[in-house]
Amino acid sequence: MATPNPTCPPPMKATSNGAFQHENPLDYALPLLILQICLVVVFTRFLAFILKPLRQPRVIAEVIGGILLGPSAIGRNEKFLNTIFPKRSLTVLETVANLGLLFFLFLVGLELDMRSIRKTGHKALAIAVAGITLPFVLGIGTSYALRATVSKKSNPTSFLIFMGVALSITAFPVLARILAELKLLTTDAGRIAMSAAAVNDVAAWILLALAIALSGSNSSPLVSLWVILCAAAFVLFAIFAIKPLLAMMAKRSLEGEPVQEIYICITLTLVLACSFITDTIGIHALFGAFVVGIVMPKDGPFAGVLIEKVEDLVMSLLLPLYFVSSGLKTDVTTIRGTLSWCMLVLVIFTACFGKISGTFVVSLLCKVPFREALALGFLMNTKGLVELIVLNIGKDRKVLNDQTFAICVLMALFTTFITTPIVMAVYKPARRGLPYTHKTVQRKDPDTELRVLACFHSTYNIPTLINLIESSRGTRKRGKLCVYSMHLMELSERPSAITMVHTARNNGMPFWNKKHDNKDQMVVAFQAYGHLSSVNVRPMTAISAFSSMHEDICTSAHQKRVALILLPFHKHQHFDGTMESLGNSLRVMNGHVLSRAPCSVGILVDRGLGGTRQVQASDVSYDVVVGFFGGRDDREALAYGMRLAEHPGISLTVVKFVALPGQTFAFGAKLVGITANKDKKIINVAQGTGSDEDKQEDEKFWSEFVSVRSKNTESITYEERVVESKEDLKTVLREKNRSNLILVGRMPQVAPLAEKSDCPELGPIGSYLASSEFSTLSSVLVLQQYNPETDVYPMVMEVSDYKDMPEKPTGSGLSS
């Protein structure tokens, strides 16, 4: 009878009977895999949190986490390694990790739009070729040095190609996220880097397929030739057979209707089937998934639904396992002695020098400015998951030994880690703009064009925004209304966010302005409104973390020379009348915009102005109320109300609040203000009295309003109301709580009406009007007038000779 091989442990059973049956769950495959996934996810997310202040992409945390859990650090404890990552569990771990990798590569293929790569300009193409060729050549030279020292037994041809590919790769997804984080997407350097990286990515996959074909165990060149020919045949099969099938399913998936479950099932099964075919051919299973992603139609809702179905599970749980799988193979301690460390320095230097110098020199020849060319070099030096895939395949095929593998992993980690800080130091595109005059709604010449930047982050805000814009245009023969509608999109770690970044960046225009059909309902509403009205509507998008979204908004506002930024309130009204918060990050963003805006700002508390649909000009019939206490912000609210009153469907009521002689609206409270200069000292506002200059401005503007009202008594009425206390003030306001829209200034010198409020950005009156206690019907617009005295730290430096955009908008902008 044959005795079992003592070196080969028996296979693990799937599930245990439990600890009460005296069985250790860690001796069984499923509970051990669950523990491994939980440990990996928690550990890598913790590292990502630590590295966040350094603005590093999450892939850095995941690579470091994998290395630390492996034999280089925590895994040096054999008890830990044998308990959590025993050798007999690695087959299951790597199988699940590679399954996650297959679907991730499918998502990467979906990111790459071959149409945009075909349209790549000569400049970006030249930079991409240089960024591949020089590092590849230097990688070949480095491979000779490594084979002579630390990798003597490797196959010469395979090792040469693998090292060339490893040094010449640029990680497209990682680069896109870094550019978005640094807000360089719409700079010249960002556009060139994205185009060049997309070309580089495709070239790297072709070279990797070649390297895998040549690295088979069979030494016959005929076998490699058959592998290459079969791979080419598979690509043709995917283009002419699989692509039409996917296109048919995409065509039958209509906007606004759920995608049929059978279509999702067929597509995901195709990904696995093609992975099986490419693995059978001998060029690794991941190529099949990647090719299906590339031939997948990018238009319509089908691709988006697929990404939604796949990305969270893959990105959150399965893909981190691949980094740990790599980390378990990476033993930094194998790099011993002066010679090995010299080889590490040589590989890092070669990788950096090849990418940076090749890109830098060609960029200069293409007449790219010095700093931009240098930044491009460092950006193109970004490595990531694709680099790890190349190295892992090389190690699995025994092309790379443990020492060479560890050296290359550290090289990839180092080159990506230095990208963000160096680009931040080297390339800081100056936010400069041409000074402009009309930064407020209130102005000397009301016949000039009013430019508005209307921001929204969900479909909920759109009907009210459009109805407010429609009400603002009037029907007069004066300056037109120009609206820039900005979709605020949070930048996340999901592949779908990078897909959005890539398509939005294309030609520096929003993704919804491309010529092919895109039936995004948020965009269609604004585009349809622009076509049906005389209002000039320009869609834009801002893709950023909400913590820095205010920079995009303020910079775009200055570039477009707008007079008013409209922001959505961070709460929306629930069906029962209560206000539901959409997140504190939106409230913080609104606060940042209020403090840094280059123009006036309005925060819109949406309670359904005009209902949940767009109202045509002939159907506009709104009662609008302006509360006037005095002060800069109230004058802005009154100026906007006067503009609304020019529309024949608007009935405007202005309520001028008057305090008793010798009293103020402070009602005995001690009001506090902040100085407008850089000192920002806190001062007491004496019983709520304003400056004499402010009072004179109030009286002057009020007389203008009375003059306008005398010419239009039908649609404009006003009343003066004497109030003795806060309760009197609340009573007057509640009388108007059936109006469609109420306009108030943000910071009149009035005692706060709400006892408690979590929205101080709305001021003493606005925070009360936004509460459920006041109304469930009236939308509220709280306005802050631009004050040049408080604009001491502008987001955009005004330069009189700066060559800015033309006064008339000729295209759409993208702020990311």
Side-chain angles (χ1 to χ4, degrees):
M1 183 176 175
T3 57
N5 187 347
T7 61
C8 182
M12 300 178 80
K13 291 183 179 179
T15 57
S16 74
N17 293 318
F20 292 110
Q21 299 289 336
H22 305 290
E23 290 185 353
N24 183 357
L26 299 185
D27 291 336
Y28 295 83
L30 182 61
L32 182 58
L33 179 66
I34 291 169
L35 180 64
Q36 289 169 342
I37 292 173
C38 293
L39 174 66
V40 169
V41 170
V42 171
F43 189 60
T44 53
R45 288 300 174 113
F46 174 70
L47 288 176
F49 176 76
I50 292 174
L51 292 172
K52 197 172 184 181
L54 299 177
R55 303 183 80 168
Q56 294 294 332
R58 198 169 81 194
V59 66
I60 288 287
E62 289 170 332
V63 174
I64 293 174
I67 293 172
L68 291 180
L69 288 172
S72 303
I74 302 171
R76 291 183 70 80
N77 183 328
E78 288 190 12
K79 187 176 181 182
F80 168 82
L81 200 63
N82 293 331
T83 303
I84 307 298
F85 298 106
K87 286 186 178 179
R88 59 182 181 157
S89 75
L90 295 185
T91 302
V92 175
L93 178 68
E94 290 193 15
T95 301
V96 175
N98 276 281
L99 189 64
L101 183 66
L102 289 183
F103 284 108
F104 175 76
L105 265 294
F106 169 63
L107 296 175
V108 171
L110 275 174
E111 287 176 26
L112 287 172
D113 190 344
M114 296 304 289
R115 290 172 301 191
S116 64
I117 292 176
R118 286 196 294 268
K119 294 175 185 175
T120 301
H122 296 299
K123 187 186 293 186
L125 189 62
I127 290 169
V129 171
I132 296 170
T133 308
L134 186 58
F136 193 88
V137 172
L138 291 177
I140 291 172
T142 308
S143 68
Y144 284 107
L146 287 169
R147 283 192 65 244
T149 52
V150 299
S151 189
K152 294 179 180 178
K153 296 180 181 179
S154 58
N155 181 302
T157 307
S158 302
F159 187 73
L160 179 147
I161 295 177
F162 265 99
M163 285 304 299
V165 172
L167 267 64
S168 61
I169 279 175
T170 297
F172 173 77
V174 180
L175 174 67
R177 186 163 282 109
I178 288 174
L179 287 170
E181 286 263 341
L182 299 181
K183 301 190 182 301
L184 300 178
L185 274 171
T186 53
T187 62
D188 290 338
R191 290 192 186 102
I192 294 170
M194 285 286 281
S195 297
V199 174
N200 192 307
D201 218 23
V202 173
W205 286 109
I206 294 170
L207 288 171
L208 179 57
L210 181 66
I212 293 171
L214 296 174
S215 64
S217 55
N218 194 316
S219 58
S220 170
L222 199 60
V223 172
S224 297
L225 179 62
W226 272 113
V227 169
I228 292 169
L229 290 175
C230 288
F234 168 75
V235 171
L236 292 174
F237 173 77
I239 293 171
F240 294 107
I242 298 175
K243 187 176 181 179
L245 174 63
L246 294 171
M248 183 269 292
M249 291 190 291
K251 191 175 181 180
R252 292 188 178 185
S253 302
L254 302 177
E255 185 70 43
E257 295 182 8
V259 175
Q260 291 187 41
E261 183 268 342
I262 188 65
Y263 292 168
I264 303 290
C265 178
I266 290 171
T267 306
L268 298 183
T269 306
L270 267 176
V271 172
L272 296 174
C274 291
S275 299
F276 174 78
I277 292 170
T278 51
D279 190 79
T280 305
I281 291 171
I283 54 167
H284 206 283
L286 59 85
F287 277 93
F290 180 67
V291 169
V292 173
I294 283 187
V295 301
M296 182 82 194
K298 308 298 189 288
D299 304 335
F302 189 45
V305 169
L306 272 170
I307 291 175
E308 286 177 12
K309 299 280 185 188
V310 174
E311 68 177 344
D312 286 337
L313 177 66
V314 170
M315 296 296 294
S316 302
L317 296 181
L318 302 183
L319 196 62
L321 293 180
Y322 190 78
F323 292 99
V324 171
S325 174
S326 298
L328 292 172
K329 300 174 191 173
T330 308
D331 190 355
V332 178
T333 58
T334 58
I335 307 174
R336 296 192 191 95
T338 308
L339 189 62
S340 294
W341 284 103
C342 286
M343 285 297 104
L344 173 62
V345 173
L346 175 66
V347 170
I348 291 175
F349 173 78
T350 308
C352 294
F353 179 78
K355 270 286 182 190
I356 296 167
S357 61
T359 305
F360 176 68
V361 171
V362 175
S363 298
L364 289 179
L365 292 175
C366 292
K367 298 182 180 179
V368 175
F370 181 86
R371 279 181 175 272
E372 285 186 20
L374 194 58
L376 269 173
F378 282 102
L379 286 167
M380 294 298 289
N381 198 32
T382 305
K383 303 286 190 273
L385 179 62
V386 181
E387 176 84 3
L388 277 188
I389 293 170
V390 172
L391 299 177
N392 272 283
I393 293 172
K395 191 170 189 310
D396 291 341
R397 302 224 164 196
K398 296 185 172 49
V399 176
L400 307 177
N401 62 16
D402 290 350
Q403 199 169 347
T404 312
F405 181 78
I407 286 172
C408 290
V409 168
L410 291 181
M411 175 271 292
L413 194 61
F414 177 81
T415 53
T416 307
F417 193 90
I418 64 170
T419 300
T420 301
I422 290 181
V423 171
M424 287 177 68
V426 168
Y427 184 57
K428 295 178 180 177
R431 289 194 177 112
R432 294 184 298 168
L434 199 67
Y436 67 103
T437 307
H438 302 306
K439 298 188 176 186
T440 60
V441 179
Q442 181 193 358
R443 54 187 68 174
K444 292 180 180 179
D445 182 10
D447 289 336
T448 50
E449 180 185 53
L450 177 66
R451 293 190 173 197
V452 178
L453 178 63
C455 303
F456 62 94
H457 55 77
S458 71
T459 53
Y460 181 86
N461 311 118
I462 292 176
T464 293
L465 264 179
I466 291 180
N467 292 334
L468 181 61
I469 291 165
E470 172 59 36
S471 306
S472 305
R473 72 184 181 94
T475 54
R476 66 218 177 290
K477 296 178 180 179
R478 335 185 334 178
K480 286 186 177 181
L481 176 67
C482 180
V483 177
Y484 296 93
S485 59
M486 178 178 273
H487 186 188
L488 308 179
M489 300 187 65
E490 184 177 16
L491 178 70
S492 68
E493 294 286 344
R494 294 173 167 181
S496 54
I498 295 307
T499 305
M500 202 68 73
V501 164
H502 178 50
T503 49
R505 180 232 32 110
N506 213 20
N507 301 320
M509 296 174 69
F511 63 98
W512 52 62
N513 264 13
K514 293 168 78 173
K515 290 182 180 178
H516 61 268
D517 293 334
N518 192 324
K519 298 178 182 177
D520 188 300
Q521 55 186 322
M522 298 193 198
V523 181
V524 167
F526 278 103
Q527 288 182 331
Y529 171 69
H531 291 313
L532 294 172
S533 68
S534 60
V535 179
N536 198 356
V537 179
R538 298 293 185 205
M540 302 168 66
T541 186
I543 305 172
S544 183
F546 276 126
S547 58
S548 59
M549 187 78 77
H550 65 282
E551 298 176 19
D552 302 324
I553 295 171
C554 295
T555 305
S556 298
H558 196 288
Q559 288 173 346
K560 303 301 180 187
R561 302 172 193 170
V562 305
L564 178 64
I565 299 172
L566 289 177
L567 297 172
F569 187 45
H570 73 279
K571 295 181 179 182
H572 73 82
Q573 186 166 278
H574 212 247
F575 65 90
D576 60 357
T578 57
M579 299 297 284
E580 183 181 19
S581 176
L582 297 172
N584 187 59
S585 55
L586 284 170
R587 187 184 71 81
V588 173
M589 180 198 77
N590 286 351
H592 286 319
V593 174
L594 285 166
S595 61
R596 305 296 296 275
C599 60
S600 294
V601 180
I603 297 180
L604 180 62
V605 181
D606 183 5
R607 290 193 177 106
L609 178 66
T612 56
R613 63 185 182 86
Q614 177 189 330
V615 176
Q616 295 180 358
S618 57
D619 295 334
V620 170
S621 179
Y622 300 145
D623 290 324
V624 179
V625 174
V626 177
F628 188 82
F629 297 88
R632 179 184 292 273
D633 294 346
D634 279 30
R635 293 196 295 273
E636 189 75 353
L638 182 55
Y640 194 59
M642 290 162 65
R643 183 176 183 99
L644 291 176
E646 294 169 6
H647 196 292
I650 300 290
S651 175
L652 176 68
T653 302
V654 179
V655 181
K656 184 178 183 181
F657 292 92
V658 180
L660 288 173
Q663 294 187 11
T664 66
F665 296 119
F667 304 123
K670 190 176 183 181
L671 299 184
V672 175
I674 301 176
T675 56
N677 57 23
K678 293 185 181 181
D679 297 334
K680 296 289 180 185
K681 291 181 181 177
I682 297 175
I683 57 172
N684 289 326
V685 181
Q687 291 299 308
T689 56
S691 65
D692 291 336
E693 185 182 346
D694 224 23
K695 288 182 177 179
Q696 289 173 7
E697 288 290 330
D698 286 346
E699 291 171 3
K700 181 181 176 182
F701 192 62
W702 184 257
S703 63
E704 287 182 24
F705 162 70
V706 172
S707 174
V708 171
R709 188 255 174 187
S710 64
K711 300 173 185 176
N712 190 3
T713 55
E714 292 183 3
S715 60
I716 303 178
T717 58
Y718 80 91
E719 52 190 87
E720 291 190 4
R721 302 294 289 268
V722 178
V723 289
E724 300 180 17
S725 65
K726 286 200 289 185
E727 288 306 316
D728 287 355
L729 190 49
K730 286 183 179 181
T731 302
V732 176
L733 289 172
R734 277 197 290 265
E735 290 175 9
K736 308 297 180 184
N737 68 2
R738 308 289 295 180
S739 307
N740 298 102
L741 178 66
I742 300 178
L743 307 178
V744 292
R746 178 174 172 251
M747 296 303 287
Q749 292 176 4
V750 182
L753 298 186
E755 297 298 327
K756 290 183 179 179
S757 174
D758 61 350
C759 43
E761 72 275 11
L762 296 184
I765 305 297
S767 55
Y768 171 68
L769 298 179
S771 65
S772 303
E773 172 193 350
F774 171 71
S775 173
T776 58
L777 299 173
S778 301
S779 295
V780 181
L781 183 61
V782 181
L783 288 149
Q784 172 185 277
Q785 189 177 70
Y786 172 73
N787 186 353
E789 293 179 1
T790 59
D791 192 14
V792 289
Y793 299 110
M795 297 292 301
V796 179
M797 296 301 296
E798 294 189 342
V799 183
S800 58
D801 61 347
Y802 181 68
K803 293 181 181 179
D804 201 7
M805 304 178 81
E807 186 68 31
K808 281 288 179 186
T810 55
S812 302
L814 170 71
S815 174
S816 302

